[in-house]
Amino acid sequence: LPMSSLPLLWAADFIPIDGHSTPYVLGEFNCSCLGISEFLAARGRDLSAVAPEDAAAGQAMCDLIGARILDAVQAFKCLGSST
């Protein structure tokens, strides 16, 4: 797919598996707006279909999500380096 056709966000579902070498196994990838309603107008189109105020609000939410994910990944990396 060209970059212009990729979804706004990807999600991955992890499933707990007893007796596996890791506590969770990747079950599937999903792509959608993942509840960021400000970007719903872009479905089947591109971001030019989104009103500027909606784009700003949606971007603020995505920035917040990204910051929280980065915090979680960095915390996880710190836990792993202490072993």
Side-chain angles (χ1 to χ4, degrees), residues 1-7:
L1 291 173
M3 288 299 289
S4 61
S5 297
L6 294 177

Side-chain angles (χ1 to χ4, degrees), residues 1-81:
L1 291 173
M3 288 299 289
S4 61
S5 297
L6 294 177
L8 296 175
L9 297 173
W10 291 85
D13 293 337
F14 290 90
I15 302 167
I17 303 290
D18 292 334
H20 194 270
S21 61
T22 60
Y24 294 94
V25 173
L26 179 63
E28 65 184 20
F29 285 104
N30 299 309
C31 58
S32 67
C33 291
L34 298 177
I36 309 210
S37 60
E38 294 84 1
F39 290 124
L40 291 177
R43 289 182 299 176
R45 297 183 242 169
D46 60 37
L47 290 177
S48 67
V50 178
E53 60 274 10
D54 287 340
Q59 186 62 56
M61 178 59 73
C62 289
D63 291 347
L64 177 63
I65 292 168
R68 295 299 181 261
I69 291 169
L70 181 59
D71 290 344
V73 168
Q74 288 173 335
F76 182 76
K77 286 173 116 176
C78 287
L79 289 174
S81 65

